[in-house]
Amino acid sequence: MTRRRLERRLFLKGAAGAALATPFLGSLQQPAKADTPSAPRRLLIFYTSNGCLTNRWFPKVEDGAIDSAALAGTTLEPLTPFANKLLFPRGLAMYPFGTINGYFDPTDQSTGSKLTAAPVDPQGEHWAQGRSLDHVLAEAVNPGGSAPLVLSVGSTFHSVKSLLSYEGAGQPTDPVVNPTTVYGSLTGLFQGGPATEADYRVARGQSIIDAVRDDLATLQRRNMSRRDQQKLEAWLAVLRDTEQGMTALACSRDSATKLGISDTTLAEASATGIATAFTLGGDMMMKLMTLTMMCDANRSLLFYWPAYVTFKWDGIEHQYDHNGLAHRNGSAAVGGKCIDGVLDMLREIDEWYAGRYARLVGLINDVPEGDGTLLDNSAVMWLPQYADGCAMNVNNLPIVIAGSAGGTLRQGVSVNLEGSALGTGDSELYCATPGGDVGFGTGSDTGRVPLNKLYVTLLNAMGAANGGPPVTEFGQADSNDVEAGITDPGELSALRDLTAL
Amino acid sequence: MGQPDAGTKGDPTPGGAGAGELDEPCAEDIAPTSQIVRLTGKEYDKTLFDLLGVTTLNGTGNDAPSSVLSPDSESDMTDAAWAGYQTAAAALAAQVIADAALHARFIACAPNSEQSACLHDTIVTFGRRAFRRPLTDTEVARFDSIGARGSELTEHGTLDEVAQLILETFLVSPSFLDRVELEETPDGRGNVSLSSYEIATRLSYLFLGSMPDATLDAAANAGKLGTAGELLAQAERLAADPRFSDAVRAFHQYYVGVGIASHWGHYDKSPERFPAFTNDLGPALTEETDRFFANVVVDTQGSFPDLFLSTAAFVNASTAGLYGVDSSGLGVSLEPATLEAGVRPGFLTRSAFLAAYAHQERTAPEWRGAFVLYNVLGKDLGPCPAGPSTAAPFTPELDTVRKLVTAQNAGPACTGCHASIDPLGFVFEAFNAVGALQAAESDTGAPIDTSADVTIDDELVHVSGPAELMQRLATSREARRRYAERWVSFALRRDHDARDACIVDTMTRELAESDAPVLQMLTALPLTAPFRLRTREAP
């Protein structure tokens, strides 16, 4: 691939949205792919619980190019600026799920088996009986095979219903929930290593912006008309936008400061209370994950939002917890009567999470690396507990991946992996009017391609094979017949951009 | 008025009206101008050529540097526009450093000179030209500090690497991208007297569409742009520069209103009706118009009436036939031709105008008439309600476009505007929808009537056809004033303002004076107060 150094800055601006639409960029803009051979690749899993209104979540295109039109009006509209960096692997289901070894609990299985593709223990604490993706990847790609970074916010329970990460069978990993702890693990890495080409480019860019700002400031000191002053102000505002996209890919205190990480903000984000944890805490964790990636302190990151919360922040004021709303009846039970306005409340939650995911993608995309950005060398995957939270189905899962993992994953596309039409589920089948009965028809009958294959694909995209033969299998079962083991090995080549290899 | 009389033209010896002191009858009420005027795309390209010797941007398929910029706009800087400037600057800086000849032109130092001294000299010398004024000490220090931090900011800190960064910085600096007027010296009448550098810049962009040349720079450095003689000498020198022709073309595009909202350049015609009039004629017609104006104003030093009376034309094998010119021996390139004075006088009788201001099959008298009324005579009828624009079929009674248009616009809601517009357009019925002569309506065979009673200079006059109308326009006070008004707006880079009345009157008189060459008015323009002074909009 030709190196097009000069376009990087445009590309950065493109991430902000507006510039992508302008025609003059059309001739210059190339799909951004990082091609620095030495750039590490990272997988970041962003996990949410309780499902979503799938009919609102999925893009309007099931199999084909994703652009702003495909996202318009959907829950994922906040991702519009990154449309050309998104990959929707459509038609996936997690296994094993259902009555396995004589035990069935949808919460335990959808959580415990999600990243392990192994059954949960029918006895005792019901821990999953396998190793999770984040650990498998970390061992393969982290220097020294060090453990993955597993993060959450608020208080978590040491329970199969809450934990996703397993070092081994029956060995769950508790997440770090205190931002200060995460930061402390990074400060030891802060130092001036050898500067990279990207560092110089950022330094040059900053120098240019400083000079332009000085020039504008000189003009501002003149006694100009209001209109002229306004023009100068507008120019300065554009510079500020540009500057925010210029955080150096440097593992330094300066980078931390630019991301907004300081003793003060860490203290604020670490304050108790679930509202703080979800707002300031969650945001801080995203910044810390970005910094972790900039420091290359970990290449396997998992962040999940706790399941049992009542949304009372950012303008949302609910009386029922998310789990109860997902059931549509306001309780941990299923069936029963719809609570008034439940669909609107679910929509609010879905949009809130979409906003958080977009924020995370934006943070990572703002960091230049090589010829592209940190995002281009990463895969940031939004993985859900369920598809629809009322049906509690784990097929036809709503999954999106941002970033090409070093140009190895396709971008700006939704891929129907099953072949036949998938649909978007029917999450609003009940409860459009108050007082109705809740049923179980909100899920999908489609989308049965094993999630295992996506994990295999991601492991290979991350370079987990380390030069050996490609990974072909993940987990213990890719169907509900656990005895059968892995019946459909191999990766999902339809998701791979093999031209980059 | 302070410009010299005809006797001093070409001989700007101090003395008389041409002496050091300038009269300033138009200095009392000057319309405000912006102090930060963004270069247009064309100005940007020409400036880069003069500054660096660069004409194309690598990696764009050899397009002009402005090809990556946003379209010209008076609006605020946007992310997209800024990204364009940054892209162009980065590419240009790399190009210049990589090319030995361009490199030598940019970096001003002797071989073996010390790096920081070399960069400093480059900053001072190049900065003077890039900013169109000497850099202040603070600015020199700002750029010097980039040089001093070269090893931090670039991989190896070499002269070339650092020089490239400095060049890139200059090329995105507001003081380069904007024509900036910083001078704040009051003239005692509420105006600010522009510095010699600012006057040099105004002169240069008016006449050359580019940055000041070495002679103008030297005059500005020496403060020698303060007298009528000095100004006139420079204006006449610049008007003799080959690049002046481009500026004249650019002005006339502005004058006739070439732009997104106009009909100019739109030549989609019915292939059944006009099989020979294909879309590829468009560029030739556009070029013909440009060359016509350059021919009148520059090559032949023509007068205002010549715009409407000149028989000069430029045709190629495809367009010659439109004018009944023998096309044998002609190829793609345009060649001069002389048309009949009684048939094709001036730019309004040429296909570029006539075909653009016509429908696909039929003529559009309303469009042609409105063009003359608004763009040539400068009449503003105020808001005209948009009426239905139908392509009514011919009938035995209504067997010409003229009759159809007359019938359609006969209602009381229409006559307010169309009574002024349509008669002017009917005169052009001598030419069909592609600008060829027509004596009869081709659909019906009915004879064409080109006579009309038109209002010019507030007087109702009868004209029999295009040639008579052109005679009237050539001597019209309103048309002259409109033309002068557009030049003033073009020179001052802003829309017309009521406070321009004094300078516009002055320029109009200049045009009218024994039908002096347009050039004479142009070279007088820089001597006027609004060109040399500025005022600021109340904050």
Side-chain angles (χ1 to χ4, degrees):
Chain A
M1 183 172 36
T2 316
R3 289 171 68 99
R4 303 191 62 132
R5 305 181 47 173
L6 298 171
E7 280 89 70
R8 182 204 57 87
R9 184 182 295 122
L10 284 186
F11 173 74
L12 274 179
K13 294 309 300 170
L20 276 178
T22 58
F24 72 86
L25 292 182
S27 56
L28 287 175
Q29 181 99 15
Q30 291 288 308
K33 287 179 188 162
D35 58 356
T36 311
S38 57
R41 300 176 200 159
R42 309 85 167 170
L43 175 68
L44 194 168
I45 300 171
F46 173 100
Y47 180 89
T48 54
S49 298
N50 299 316
C52 65
L53 299 176
T54 55
N55 59 313
R56 290 181 177 271
W57 194 94
F58 285 113
K60 294 168 184 167
V61 173
E62 191 166 289
D63 191 66
I66 293 296
D67 54 15
S68 56
L71 300 177
T74 73
T75 306
L76 299 185
E77 202 167 286
L79 290 172
T80 303
F82 316 107
N84 66 346
K85 295 195 174 192
L86 301 179
L87 170 64
F88 290 88
R90 289 295 315 272
L92 292 166
M94 69 157 274
Y95 299 99
F97 186 80
T99 304
I100 310 291
N101 300 328
Y103 177 74
F104 175 51
D105 182 300
T107 309
D108 294 1
Q109 291 176 338
S110 62
T111 310
S113 302
K114 179 60 49 52
L115 289 174
T116 60
V120 298
D121 187 349
Q123 309 296 324
E125 301 285 329
H126 306 298
W127 299 121
Q129 297 301 293
R131 198 151 196 244
S132 58
L133 176 65
D134 52 320
H135 277 278
V136 172
L137 177 68
E139 182 178 16
V141 302
N142 270 348
S146 59
L149 182 67
V150 180
L151 304 176
S152 186
V153 290
S155 44
T156 62
F157 306 100
H158 190 71
S159 152
V160 67
K161 297 182 195 301
S162 293
L163 301 178
L164 286 152
S165 177
Y166 286 81
E167 187 178 354
Q171 295 176 276
T173 302
D174 287 309
V176 177
V177 294
N178 188 329
T180 306
T181 307
V182 184
Y183 186 62
S185 72
L186 296 173
T187 50
L189 302 172
F190 288 170
Q191 53 198 338
T196 64
E197 186 194 317
D199 294 332
Y200 285 120
R201 227 168 36 202
V202 168
R204 287 168 57 100
Q206 189 63 53
S207 160
I208 289 171
I209 285 181
D210 289 345
V212 172
R213 183 183 289 114
D214 285 351
D215 196 12
L216 288 170
T218 305
L219 302 183
Q220 274 191 314
R221 286 193 287 272
R222 301 292 165 146
N223 184 24
M224 291 194 187
S225 70
R226 185 174 299 175
R227 175 68 192 119
D228 281 351
Q229 290 289 353
Q230 192 184 346
K231 281 158 92 173
L232 297 173
E233 264 309 315
W235 201 329
L236 284 165
V238 168
L239 292 185
R240 283 190 288 274
D241 285 354
T242 308
E243 203 165 32
Q244 281 166 8
M246 294 202 23
T247 316
L249 185 76
C251 180
S252 64
R253 198 169 300 278
D254 187 44
S255 295
T257 306
K258 282 185 175 165
L259 281 166
I261 305 170
S262 68
D263 289 345
T264 310
T265 55
L266 280 165
E268 286 166 1
S270 304
T272 53
I274 192 67
T276 302
F278 261 65
T279 53
L280 295 178
D283 204 58
M284 181 57 73
M285 285 303 197
M286 293 193 215
K287 292 171 177 172
L288 288 166
M289 285 190 285
T290 307
L291 187 60
T292 297
M293 293 161 84
M294 291 164 73
C295 289
D296 197 22
N298 213 310
R299 299 174 186 179
S300 177
L301 303 91
L302 167 63
F303 174 70
Y304 55 96
W305 300 93
Y308 301 96
V309 291
T310 303
F311 275 71
K312 289 180 185 292
W313 49 82
D314 289 344
I316 306 177
E317 189 65 41
H318 291 171
Q319 299 305 310
Y320 303 92
D321 82 3
H322 187 194
N323 185 259
L325 292 173
H327 295 165
R328 313 291 197 265
N329 57 22
S331 79
V334 294
K337 296 284 183 192
C338 297
I339 52 174
D340 289 358
V342 65
L343 297 179
D344 283 340
M345 291 181 232
L346 287 170
R347 182 180 49 74
E348 287 178 332
I349 292 173
D350 291 354
E351 288 174 357
W352 188 87
Y353 279 126
R356 296 291 78 202
Y357 178 70
R359 158 81 170 158
L360 176 62
V361 170
L363 278 171
I364 296 170
N365 193 47
D366 273 350
V367 182
E369 182 177 41
D371 279 358
T373 79
L374 186 53
L375 182 66
D376 299 320
N377 288 314
S378 309
V380 180
M381 173 167 68
W382 183 356
L383 188 70
Q385 180 186 12
Y386 300 118
D388 177 86
C390 180
M392 292 186 275
N393 62 307
V394 292
N395 59 305
N396 200 12
L397 286 167
I399 296 172
V400 57
I401 299 168
S404 69
T408 63
L409 296 173
R410 292 178 67 193
Q411 298 278 271
V413 69
S414 178
V415 182
N416 181 341
L417 298 161
E418 193 159 72
S420 50
L422 294 164
T424 60
D426 208 358
S427 296
E428 295 182 81
L429 182 60
Y430 317 113
C431 307
T433 52
D437 290 322
V438 180
F440 294 93
T442 50
S444 296
D445 295 328
T446 57
R448 305 282 179 185
V449 177
L451 190 57
N452 312 55
K453 293 176 80 69
L454 175 65
Y455 294 172
V456 168
T457 309
L458 289 170
L459 284 167
N460 285 328
M462 296 298 147
N466 280 315
V471 179
T472 56
E473 296 186 4
F474 181 86
Q476 295 173 18
D478 59 5
S479 74
N480 293 331
D481 180 359
V482 177
E483 297 301 312
I486 300 298
T487 61
D488 183 10
E491 63 175 29
L492 298 164
S493 56
L495 304 180
R496 297 296 301 276
D497 187 347
L498 299 172
T499 59
L501 296 179
Chain B
M1 179 59 206
Q3 84 275 356
D5 59 29
T8 64
K9 188 163 152 33
D11 179 24
T13 316
E21 296 307 313
L22 285 150
D23 280 348
E24 291 169 329
C26 294
E28 297 308 321
D29 196 14
I30 294 177
T33 43
S34 170
Q35 288 176 257
I36 40 172
V37 176
R38 189 86 25 91
L39 299 182
T40 65
K42 277 184 184 164
E43 289 172 344
Y44 180 79
D45 290 335
K46 285 172 182 283
T47 302
L48 285 170
F49 175 70
D50 290 341
L51 187 62
L52 294 166
V54 175
T55 52
T56 61
L57 201 59
N58 289 352
T60 61
N62 283 334
D63 281 335
S66 67
S67 64
V68 299
L69 302 186
S70 290
D72 291 342
S73 164
E74 303 286 319
S75 64
D76 291 344
M77 184 63 77
T78 61
D79 281 356
W82 179 236
Y85 287 122
Q86 287 186 294
T87 305
L92 290 163
Q95 255 170 264
V96 168
I97 295 300
D99 181 303
L102 300 176
H103 182 285
R105 192 172 154 162
F106 166 58
I107 295 188
C109 62
N112 307 322
S113 60
E114 201 250 322
Q115 180 162 326
S116 66
C118 174
L119 289 171
H120 175 82
D121 291 349
T122 302
I123 287 162
V124 171
T125 310
F126 179 78
R128 163 69 184 86
R129 302 177 64 229
F131 283 8
R132 301 170 282 265
R133 58 170 171 77
L135 302 192
T136 64
D137 291 346
T138 311
E139 287 165 337
V140 172
R142 181 192 304 153
F143 281 92
D144 276 347
S145 80
I146 298 173
R149 293 174 59 222
S151 57
E152 261 174 72
L153 300 174
T154 67
E155 227 154 336
H156 309 101
T158 63
L159 174 66
D160 281 1
E161 283 179 331
V162 180
Q164 182 176 330
L165 174 57
I166 287 171
L167 176 54
E168 187 177 337
T169 306
F170 268 114
L171 295 181
V172 292
S173 289
S175 292
F176 168 71
L177 295 173
D178 283 359
R179 289 165 50 180
V180 177
E181 292 176 346
L182 293 177
E183 186 59 56
E184 293 184 327
T185 306
D187 78 336
R189 283 163 297 183
N191 307 310
V192 170
S193 299
L194 296 181
S195 71
S196 58
Y197 308 109
E198 291 162 358
I199 290 177
T201 300
R202 281 195 179 190
L203 274 171
S204 179
Y205 281 93
L206 171 58
F207 284 95
L208 306 182
S210 183
M211 58 181 278
D213 61 9
T215 310
L216 211 41
D217 276 347
N221 287 344
K224 289 202 171 302
L225 293 167
T227 67
E230 287 161 352
L231 283 167
L232 186 66
Q234 287 292 347
E236 291 183 340
R237 184 183 69 82
L238 294 169
D241 189 292
R243 290 173 290 173
F244 175 55
S245 192
D246 277 354
V248 166
R249 291 176 185 218
F251 163 75
H252 286 88
Q253 289 181 1
Y254 171 69
Y255 168 59
V256 301
V258 171
I260 297 164
S262 81
H263 293 281
W264 288 100
H266 297 283
Y267 298 113
D268 283 329
K269 297 299 165 192
S270 159
E272 291 77 29
R273 179 64 62 93
F274 305 109
F277 196 91
T278 53
N279 274 334
D280 58 352
L281 267 67
L285 294 177
T286 303
E287 173 69 10
E288 183 201 346
T289 313
D290 283 346
R291 285 185 63 173
F292 174 86
F293 288 122
N295 178 271
V296 168
V297 174
V298 184
D299 305 343
T300 63
Q301 305 222 351
S303 62
F304 174 77
D306 292 329
L307 299 171
F308 299 92
L309 302 176
S310 167
T311 55
F314 299 88
V315 298
N316 67 10
S318 305
T319 62
L322 290 164
Y323 303 134
V325 171
D326 180 8
S327 66
S328 58
L330 291 174
V332 175
S333 62
L334 296 181
E335 301 297 338
T338 303
L339 307 181
E340 275 183 69
V343 181
R344 298 277 187 179
F347 76 98
L348 290 173
T349 61
R350 310 303 167 80
S351 268
F353 168 69
L354 296 166
Y357 286 76
H359 299 295
Q360 290 195 346
E361 296 196 345
R362 294 187 191 171
T363 58
E366 304 106 309
W367 293 359
R368 290 169 175 178
F371 179 88
V372 172
L373 194 69
Y374 288 91
N375 292 71
V376 177
L377 293 170
K379 287 287 197 189
D380 187 355
L381 297 177
C384 285
S389 178
T390 60
F394 292 109
T395 66
E397 295 76 36
L398 304 176
D399 57 358
T400 65
V401 170
R402 178 171 182 156
K403 288 176 188 169
L404 283 171
V405 167
T406 303
Q408 182 180 291
N409 296 334
C414 305
T415 51
C417 293
H418 282 280
S420 307
I421 292 171
D422 295 351
L424 284 165
F426 293 148
V427 180
F428 292 97
E429 285 295 273
F431 307 101
N432 71 9
V434 296
L437 287 171
Q438 61 175 2
E441 198 71 64
S442 60
D443 287 274
T444 63
I448 295 286
D449 176 7
T450 64
S451 67
D453 295 327
V454 299
T455 305
I456 293 176
D457 298 347
D458 298 324
E459 191 186 337
L460 193 65
V461 293
H462 181 82
V463 294
S464 62
E468 271 190 45
L469 178 59
M470 295 308 125
Q471 284 289 349
R472 291 282 181 179
L473 293 176
T475 54
S476 158
R477 165 178 49 82
E478 287 173 344
R480 253 194 325 263
R481 195 171 197 286
R482 167 69 173 178
Y483 186 72
E485 180 189 300
R486 294 302 265 181
W487 266 115
V488 167
S489 295
F490 183 78
L492 300 176
R493 276 290 293 273
R494 54 159 175 70
D495 287 336
H496 178 64
D497 187 289
R499 285 165 282 193
D500 291 338
C502 176
I503 178 174
V504 170
D505 286 344
T506 307
M507 292 300 107
T508 308
R509 279 198 301 277
E510 195 74 39
L511 278 179
E513 188 185 305
S514 316
D515 284 339
V518 170
L519 265 179
Q520 181 174 317
M521 178 207 72
L522 271 179
T523 50
L525 205 155
L527 280 64
T528 64
F531 192 85
R532 296 175 298 102
L533 308 173
R534 69 171 173 81
T535 60
R536 185 173 65 89
E537 196 84 67

